[in-house]
Amino acid sequence: MSAFSAVRIPFPAVVAARSAGEKPSSPFLCSPAAAPVIHSSPLRSPRLGRPPLAVTSDVLSSQKPLGSNSSPSCQAVISRDEALELYEDMVLGRFFEDMCAQMYYRGKMFGFVHLYNGQEAVSTGFIKLLETRDSVVSTYRDHVHALSKGVPARAVMAELFGKATGCCRGQGGSMHMFSEPHNLLGGFAFIGEGIPVATGAAFSSKYRYEVLKESNRDGLDVTVAFFGDGTCNNGQFLECLNMAQLWKLPIVFVVENNLWAIGMSHLRATSDPEIWKKGPAFGMPGVHVDGMDVLKVREVAVEAIARARNGEGPSLVECETYRFRGHSLADPDELRKADEKSHYAARDPIVGLKKYILEKNLASESELKAIEKKIDDIIEEAVEFADSSPPPPRSQLLENVFADPKGFGIGPDGKYRCEDPKFTEGTAQV
Amino acid sequence: MCHLKNIFHYINIELKGGVFFVVVTKPSPLPLLSLPIFPLAVLDFEIDRKMLGVARRKLGFGLFSATRVLPAGSVLPRKYSTAAKEITVREALNSALDEEMSADPKVFLMGEEVGEYQGAYKISKGLLEKYGPDRVLDTPITEAGFTGIGVGAAYYGLRPVVEFMTFNFSMQAIDHIINSAAKSNYMSAGQISVPIVFRGPNGAAAGVGAQHSQCYAAWYAHVPGLKVLSPYSSEDARGLLKAAIRDPDPVVFLENELLYGESFPVSAEVLDSSFCLPIGKAKIEREGKHVTITAFSKMVGYALQAAEILSKEGIDAEVINLRSIRPLDRATINASVRKTNRLVTVEEGFPQHGVGAEICMSVMEESFEYLDAPVERIAGADVPMPYAANLERMAVPQVDDIVRATKRACYRSVPMAAAA
């Protein structure tokens, strides 16, 4: 049964079912055998008026390890190539973020740096199913989304160092990764800000198909919007859920629920912590999935993206995940309890996938080690490249404020006025 | 000023309004015994009180004799501050919040991370433990929502202090700040007053990119119905925040993240719990007579440093710490310009329609005949804040920009470079 039909909503899941042998279980179970209460706070319970909710997932509630069945004789759900691709992507994300931390403490990077350690399964699980023409919109925690989408590691690293060879020529920084060839639309510092932008990108995809009649046999361009649990209380999110469903836009809303918004626990901030429920409230399917398991994420992603591509409309996917580091490198991370951290550290997505690959004999240990070594080299090279790149020249300060180079508009011949050789500025110069 | 180069080679004696200043400019090998020979025997070592308004970076007055008079109750230079205490701006804000919350149970604090996290910048440290979760509210990430809730609470007489993690995020709530808070007293003909304070860091920090670095002083100061304050030192922070919380109108309180950790000496009067500064009054941080430099928030520090550098070149700059952007203390600014005849305004925000533009216009309207040179306006670069460190340095005014502009105002020898 598909993960989508596990959700009790009147809309049928139209996509093909996958017979992976996974038993459908309800997304949240309050079973006492489930994981320990993730967050308890004396300030919370009296207000909510109900006992603390243990946020669990199907993996925990069914007490199963990664993958459908643990016996090696069972067929793997992905092919060898796909498994290695996923592994490589997650390792790239992890090693890159670790290197970012190192570089920050050495003073090569500055400002705000938000690391993605622990959440790689979500990025890899979704983005590796997208094509180049599909868009990704993210928040400030966007390094790994950029890498998964195909932005070269050296461009991202150079951007973080503030060099002219970065993907945004050093003008954006850690939180503002944009890449037009890869259709990476950022990189927004305000949470919730990227969601309307993503909805707009999806709108443009539908518009091009319906109004401009650009046909594409392979379906619409899909937009995937990534954001966190804190964003789900923001008005913009809800407004976009409404409009996306109303207009059946080809978008997938992916909630990376890592339970914490800086120091604010999701359970303290949200009246109903089950975010996936907000989907059906607007008429779209809402699914909760274990975000520490890349295969489960991928399974759900396949359906959600197919729905969007076929024009069936948006989906809301809540991925329960965890960030191993603090909110940013400046966050002392004092409020999260050690047992919660160790609980999720034990479910490290990379370790989990590695175990799965070895169990299903998709690859050998040495091949995985070779991949890790390759990624190490890529990261080293990225750092060297970024180090040796020049900082932006002084003249770059005033560039790119407008698309129109000098701001004098378009002339009657349709070209920029400043490009007309007879044009004299007559005003002060830069 | 008479230079007595022959005998007292190293001493300049200046007559000013009957008070004699002795400025020892170089190490004087002459014993003090030789001084009484000079006909003007009474040499008063009084120091102009207002000069001690310079908070930290003191001028090289190390050669003053120990008989200087230390005025009570004003800011003292570091090396002489045996009685004065130093507190950081963070501590000043925290203590102001603490005292106002304990004095009035209607005051409450809400914002993101103000409670359990002890404040995103640790400004509200310890307040949750002291006042409990009913008065220190951790909100979800819903600026529009919780600002609106604060305004509604203020309609009914409570006194919320709404914290924005940075004022950049206040844009998500700006509808409530302007339309619900600023305009209410007017629209209701005085029936509904909104005693609310919106506070948080404003302006550029270090390397945080375009969406985290904008200065909103000009935006909020544009709106009638709002009071806009911007402190510089710990004394300003304490006094103005207390005044803001006690005020019956909406106040936008623009702090600066980079100033939170800086410490300034404060007198006992400032530390008293009833201390409060008037809204709408600027402070003359440093008296001068050649040119007036106005600034607010972090730029005051830069202006003082620039004044230091300029004083070595013979330009005596008067530095005004605006403190209050709305209402703007036009009286002080104009009085100063009428004294010095030249003006340089400094701000961190974008130049067009900025605070400096308003000050320049005010001076032109009221003191045009007194101006000896066109007014100079220093602002941030007219671009969204870049991330790269070298570009960011160029996008924010630096001390030498202020120095250059002031020299231009004084000599008009260097041609002006306009913005693109």
Side-chain angles (χ1 to χ4, degrees):
Chain A
M1 289 253 310
S2 77
F4 276 76
S5 54
V7 176
R8 297 172 213 88
I9 48 161
F11 287 80
V14 185
V15 291
R18 196 176 244 285
S19 52
E22 282 265 55
K23 79 165 198 279
S25 45
S26 69
F28 279 83
L29 284 184
C30 278
S31 62
V37 173
I38 304 305
H39 175 85
S40 58
S41 155
L43 300 169
R44 183 177 42 84
S45 3
R47 288 257 205 85
L48 282 183
R50 56 181 165 139
L53 184 68
V55 177
T56 73
S57 70
D58 6 340
V59 161
L60 286 177
S61 53
S62 53
Q63 298 296 311
K64 275 187 187 163
L66 193 74
S68 35
N69 297 304
S70 45
S71 62
S73 57
C74 239
Q75 202 57 5
V77 300
I78 51 172
S79 73
R80 177 197 142 84
D81 287 333
E82 286 173 342
L84 292 179
E85 188 195 2
L86 296 178
Y87 187 76
E88 185 175 334
D89 194 53
M90 290 207 288
V91 169
L92 173 64
R94 178 66 63 88
F95 283 18
F96 188 91
E97 298 292 70
D98 285 338
M99 183 59 78
C100 280
Q102 260 195 55
M103 291 295 118
Y104 188 85
Y105 293 128
R106 282 196 211 166
K108 302 274 178 72
M109 257 181 241
F110 34 87
F112 289 143
V113 180
H114 306 85
L115 297 182
Y116 201 73
N117 296 45
Q119 300 181 198
E120 295 88 2
V122 181
S123 171
T124 301
F126 272 93
I127 301 183
K128 282 301 163 196
L129 291 168
L130 295 176
E131 301 164 28
T132 311
R133 62 189 177 108
D134 298 322
S135 317
V136 165
V137 177
S138 177
T139 56
Y140 42 74
R141 209 178 294 282
D142 57 350
H143 305 169
V144 178
H145 294 137
L147 294 171
S148 292
K149 195 68 176 57
V151 182
R154 45 178 14 209
V156 181
M157 192 61 87
E159 180 66 27
L160 293 170
F161 280 35
K163 298 294 173 87
T165 47
C167 57
C168 297
R169 299 168 75 201
Q171 290 177 210
S174 162
M175 297 185 283
H176 306 295
M177 296 278 168
F178 292 87
S179 172
E180 199 247 321
H182 300 102
N183 281 315
L184 176 71
L185 299 176
F188 290 95
F190 290 21
I191 60 141
E193 200 178 20
I195 302 174
V197 171
T199 312
F203 179 84
S204 76
S205 158
K206 188 144 194 268
Y207 189 90
R208 274 185 300 193
Y209 177 73
E210 301 209 325
V211 178
L212 302 177
K213 304 287 184 217
E214 284 175 26
S215 68
N216 193 327
R217 279 168 301 137
D218 303 322
L220 297 167
D221 296 346
V222 173
T223 307
V224 181
F226 291 95
F227 47 94
D229 44 287
T231 313
C232 297
N233 297 322
N234 200 288
Q236 292 179 86
F237 167 61
L238 302 165
E239 290 176 16
C240 288
L241 285 183
N242 179 45
M243 286 190 281
Q245 178 60 25
L246 189 63
W247 295 329
K248 291 241 184 312
L249 300 180
I251 184 170
V252 183
F253 296 102
V254 180
V255 184
E256 294 165 327
N257 183 357
N258 57 20
L259 300 175
W260 290 88
I262 304 187
M264 189 67 169
S265 155
H266 175 58
L267 301 167
R268 276 185 76 213
T270 316
S271 55
D272 186 348
E274 299 180 36
I275 300 173
W276 60 268
K277 281 186 187 169
K278 294 185 163 113
F282 288 93
M284 71 176 85
V287 189
H288 174 268
V289 71
D290 177 13
M292 304 304 268
D293 178 348
V294 66
L295 299 174
K296 290 205 160 64
V297 172
R298 190 181 160 93
E299 188 185 335
V300 169
V302 161
E303 287 190 40
I305 293 173
R307 261 181 64 86
R309 226 187 265 299
N310 296 338
E312 286 154 30
S315 327
L316 176 65
V317 182
E318 178 188 354
C319 303
E320 179 201 337
T321 180
Y322 202 74
R323 51 170 165 86
F324 292 159
R325 288 185 180 256
H327 164 75
S328 71
L329 288 175
D331 178 21
D333 197 15
E334 292 158 344
L335 291 172
R336 303 197 297 177
K337 304 245 179 323
D339 54 352
E340 182 187 90
K341 292 187 198 178
S342 56
H343 166 77
Y344 282 98
R347 292 164 56 190
D348 188 332
I350 296 179
V351 168
L353 182 65
K354 184 169 185 175
K355 208 165 128 213
Y356 182 83
I357 290 176
L358 295 174
E359 267 175 15
K360 304 288 179 196
N361 292 317
L362 293 170
S364 65
E365 178 92 34
S366 59
E367 281 176 313
L368 296 179
K369 280 259 179 300
I371 290 180
E372 285 170 24
K373 172 91 184 34
K374 175 178 149 202
I375 298 294
D376 259 330
D377 292 336
I378 292 178
I379 306 284
E380 291 260 347
E381 193 266 322
V383 172
E384 274 171 32
F385 173 76
D387 246 340
S388 59
S389 294
R394 281 182 69 94
S395 55
Q396 200 183 306
L397 178 68
L398 298 172
E399 286 175 10
N400 301 127
V401 179
F402 287 121
D404 167 11
K406 297 279 189 197
F408 291 105
I410 308 243
D413 58 357
K415 293 194 289 209
Y416 290 125
R417 274 187 205 274
C418 58
E419 286 167 9
D420 178 354
K422 291 208 283 293
F423 178 74
T424 51
E425 290 178 42
T427 57
Q429 51 172 359
V430 170
Chain B
M1 188 156 81
C2 49
H3 288 260
L4 301 159
K5 290 225 170 90
N6 294 328
I7 305 170
F8 298 104
H9 188 70
Y10 298 102
I11 305 177
N12 300 331
I13 300 183
E14 180 183 6
L15 300 176
K16 183 177 175 177
V19 173
F20 302 108
F21 287 75
V22 175
V23 178
V24 179
T25 54
K26 282 189 192 151
S28 169
L30 303 171
L32 286 173
L33 281 173
S34 54
L35 281 173
I37 300 172
F38 194 76
L40 299 166
V42 177
L43 296 168
D44 190 356
F45 285 89
E46 182 184 285
I47 293 92
D48 188 5
R49 264 159 213 263
K50 296 204 192 83
M51 289 202 98
L52 291 173
V54 179
R56 283 180 75 226
R57 286 161 224 80
K58 271 312 290 177
L59 311 173
F61 283 161
L63 301 164
F64 263 57
S65 74
T67 60
R68 67 187 302 172
V69 172
L70 305 176
S74 74
V75 179
L76 299 167
R78 220 168 169 187
K79 43 171 77 77
Y80 291 96
S81 54
T82 46
K85 195 177 158 206
E86 277 205 1
I87 59 172
T88 59
V89 172
R90 184 178 279 122
E91 286 164 16
L93 293 166
N94 185 281
S95 59
L97 277 171
D98 196 357
E99 286 163 20
E100 291 303 307
M101 286 180 79
S102 73
D104 185 351
K106 298 203 291 295
V107 177
F108 67 95
L109 176 64
M110 71 159 133
E112 293 156 12
E113 311 297 350
V114 295
E116 285 193 0
Y117 199 77
Q118 310 294 315
Y121 296 100
K122 307 294 181 234
I123 305 292
S124 52
K125 193 176 168 105
L127 295 181
L128 177 67
E129 283 75 39
K130 200 162 167 191
Y131 297 103
D134 289 329
R135 292 184 68 194
V136 179
L137 296 149
D138 273 326
T139 58
I141 311 180
T142 38
E143 272 78 10
F146 68 71
T147 306
I149 289 178
V151 173
Y155 280 12
Y156 278 95
L158 296 183
R159 295 182 161 266
V161 177
V162 175
E163 175 173 314
F164 293 116
M165 203 178 279
T166 72
F167 261 93
N168 299 276
F169 305 154
S170 73
M171 287 199 290
Q172 300 215 330
I174 200 167
D175 175 53
H176 281 297
I177 300 176
I178 311 282
N179 284 321
S180 304
K183 298 181 183 173
S184 286
N185 200 50
Y186 188 85
M187 293 193 292
S188 67
Q191 295 175 79
I192 299 180
S193 92
V194 190
I196 190 170
V197 176
F198 305 102
R199 51 160 291 270
N202 177 50
V208 293
Q211 293 181 341
H212 276 76
S213 307
Q214 194 169 332
C215 175
Y216 287 87
W219 283 42
Y220 290 118
H222 186 68
V223 180
L226 283 182
K227 295 178 182 171
V228 180
L229 303 176
S230 191
Y232 163 62
S233 61
S234 307
E235 179 186 336
D236 292 350
R238 250 183 81 82
L240 292 176
L241 186 57
K242 279 163 160 301
I245 295 176
R246 294 177 200 177
D247 200 85
D249 293 311
V251 180
V252 172
F253 195 81
L254 305 170
E255 304 158 3
N256 188 296
E257 190 207 326
L258 297 175
L259 286 178
Y260 282 152
E262 283 208 20
S263 49
F264 297 88
V266 287
S267 64
E269 186 197 342
V270 173
L271 295 171
D272 184 61
S273 66
S274 62
F275 175 70
C276 182
L277 285 174
I279 292 181
K281 293 290 302 160
K283 179 182 179 192
I284 299 183
E285 293 281 352
R286 180 189 196 279
E287 278 228 336
K289 58 188 202 303
H290 291 140
V291 59
T292 299
I293 305 179
T294 66
F296 60 95
S297 189
K298 189 162 66 107
M299 291 292 133
V300 176
Y302 283 30
L304 290 169
Q305 285 181 50
E308 278 278 327
I309 296 174
L310 289 163
S311 67
K312 296 191 180 70
E313 304 190 25
I315 300 176
D316 195 15
E318 176 149 304
V319 176
I320 299 184
N321 173 4
L322 290 175
R323 281 182 171 176
S324 171
I325 316 292
R326 189 180 180 98
L328 197 57
D329 191 356
R330 297 169 207 273
T332 302
I333 299 170
N334 277 287
S336 171
V337 171
R338 287 176 189 213
K339 182 175 81 169
T340 64
N341 308 125
R342 293 164 208 273
L343 177 64
V344 175
T345 67
V346 185
E347 62 187 305
E348 214 184 350
F350 303 132
Q352 192 165 343
H353 310 299
V355 176
E358 175 62 29
I359 294 177
C360 294
M361 193 60 200
S362 167
V363 164
M364 206 210 75
E365 282 170 350
E366 295 179 30
S367 316
F368 180 67
E369 305 84 39
Y370 292 85
L371 284 172
D372 283 349
V375 177
E376 291 280 342
R377 175 172 61 152
I378 309 219
D382 200 17
V383 296
M385 184 66 69
Y387 168 75
N390 63 332
L391 295 182
E392 190 185 24
R393 255 193 310 276
M394 287 198 284
V396 178
Q398 304 294 337
V399 178
D400 37 288
D401 294 322
I402 305 176
V403 169
R404 260 185 297 123
T406 315
K407 283 186 185 166
R408 273 202 307 265
C410 289
Y411 304 125
R412 304 296 309 139
S413 60
V414 177
M416 261 194 344

